[in-house]
Amino acid sequence: MVSPSALLTLLVAAGSALHVASLSSAPSNEFVEVRPQLWRYNGEFAFIPSPAQRTPVAVWLVEAKSSWILIDTGAASPEYKDRFLAALKRKLSFSSNPLRLILLTHGHLDHAGLLPWALDEYPDVPFAVHEAEQPFVTGGQQYQQLKGDTWTFTLGKYYMPKLNTSLPTSHQIVLTGSTGDISSFASWVPKGLLIFHHVPGHSPGQVAYFHHSTKSMITGDVITNMAASFPVSRNGKIKCDNPFLMPTHMYHDMKQSQQTLAKISGVRTYFPSHDDGTGVSNADFQSFVGVQKDEL
């Protein structure tokens, strides 16, 4: 008899094979400056060991006072890890500026999977996580313990790998509230450089970061932008879509978070963590939020 986990794997792989094409452009395996003082590494991660499913996963570097801020740490898979870590070391070595802060959008494996390595490699660098996400990053809890509002999460959470959530907290920074200036939690960061916004739904404590000088919103998994990877779009010509539904525990909250980001003034570009392009324009994001419908 086929086990439930094996059946779920087959179903996800089959669905992926129908929808996933190769990335519109090969991953750079380097940090690329997508906006002034905002750099992106866009690597590939296979959620399921299959050539059919290759998903872009972004990590960010922000320049600040001759230092670097790293947003997310990338996916915990050998193929992603080796290339990403090599690119990070090259970038930091070439610039000679130190890494001084790590910010997490959320704690899922593809975004914070390499946090244990980062803490070993840079033991004096603090990392920041929202108070609602902290239990799943350093508090010993697993996402499988959450109750969701969709059948996709109810089934899919058992496919999600368990994480190492007993990490050292001596340099942990806990972001509190619905929004705030990162300089309030790390005094060396220039005031107004990065503003965080709590955007739950995909995970309890997911946050988006607004890079003020370039009017860029790093959204985490509030949305995705993978029209080339997923040519069969649920929203026609709209250039962004909802996050993966399987790990999204509260669909209603996720939609509310999209509305939250849509109401923030001054944003020019929304940069999802899963993006096979170069971000989503404000006009496209507003159109998406305006036309999206309940899918479940």
Side-chain angles (χ1 to χ4, degrees):
M1 179 178 292
V2 179
S3 68
S5 61
L7 179 59
L8 184 60
T9 299
L10 290 173
L11 289 173
V12 174
S16 300
L18 289 173
H19 296 290
V20 181
S22 60
L23 294 181
S24 57
S25 59
S28 63
N29 296 320
E30 298 291 347
F31 279 91
V32 176
E33 192 171 22
V34 294
R35 295 291 186 271
Q37 299 185 315
L38 179 62
W39 299 72
R40 181 180 73 172
Y41 176 90
N42 212 22
E44 285 186 306
F45 174 61
F47 285 94
I48 297 171
S50 165
Q53 183 157 10
R54 315 293 298 180
T55 303
V57 179
V59 175
W60 306 85
L61 278 171
V62 179
E63 294 184 62
K65 280 191 174 181
S66 299
S67 301
W68 292 106
I69 298 171
L70 182 70
I71 299 180
D72 284 343
T73 60
S77 71
E79 60 181 2
Y80 189 100
K81 174 183 175 182
D82 295 341
R83 294 172 180 174
F84 163 66
L85 297 183
L88 178 61
K89 290 181 178 181
R90 282 194 298 270
K91 183 61 183 173
L92 296 180
S93 176
F94 179 79
S95 71
S96 74
N97 293 332
L99 177 64
R100 294 188 63 183
L101 179 63
I102 298 170
L103 303 174
L104 297 181
T105 60
H106 59 298
H108 286 171
L109 179 73
D110 49 329
H111 304 280
L114 295 180
L115 181 61
W117 170 88
L119 298 181
D120 286 340
E121 188 74 11
Y122 304 101
D124 296 324
V125 175
F127 68 96
V129 61
H130 192 269
E131 59 184 333
E133 197 78 358
Q134 180 271 331
F136 307 96
V137 177
T138 60
Q141 293 188 33
Q142 298 289 337
Y143 292 106
Q144 288 87 345
Q145 298 172 254
L146 291 171
K147 293 183 178 180
D149 63 359
T150 68
W151 67 267
T152 48
F153 180 78
T154 300
L155 293 177
K157 67 180 182 180
Y158 296 107
Y159 178 79
M160 297 171 66
K162 291 187 177 181
L163 305 177
N164 177 8
T165 60
S166 300
L167 301 174
T169 60
S170 57
H171 294 294
Q172 177 180 252
I173 297 172
V174 178
L175 305 177
T176 57
S178 60
T179 187
D181 194 321
I182 294 300
S183 67
S184 299
F185 300 87
S187 60
W188 67 270
V189 176
K191 186 176 181 179
L193 176 70
L194 286 169
I195 306 297
F196 82 85
H197 297 274
H198 182 210
V199 283
H202 185 68
S203 73
Q206 180 173 237
V207 294
Y209 296 98
F210 183 51
H211 187 235
H212 186 269
S213 63
T214 63
K215 310 301 182 185
S216 301
M217 183 70 74
I218 298 172
T219 70
D221 281 359
V222 176
I223 56 171
T224 59
N225 179 33
M226 296 188 294
S229 297
F230 289 78
V232 181
S233 172
R234 293 186 294 270
N235 294 288
K237 297 181 179 180
I238 301 300
K239 296 182 179 178
C240 67
D241 212 335
N242 289 320
F244 296 112
L245 294 182
M246 186 176 291
T248 300
H249 82 291
M250 296 298 291
Y251 183 82
H252 178 267
D253 290 351
M254 177 268 292
K255 293 202 295 182
Q256 288 298 116
S257 290
Q258 292 173 347
Q259 296 285 344
T260 296
L261 292 188
K263 294 175 183 177
I264 296 173
S265 63
V267 181
R268 293 176 185 165
T269 310
Y270 295 83
F271 284 105
S273 292
H274 301 295
D275 183 3
D276 60 18
T278 53
V280 176
S281 70
N282 184 285
D284 284 332
F285 181 72
Q286 298 292 339
S287 295
F288 166 70
V289 172
V291 304
Q292 70 169 323
K293 298 178 181 179
D294 203 349
E295 299 174 346
L296 298 175

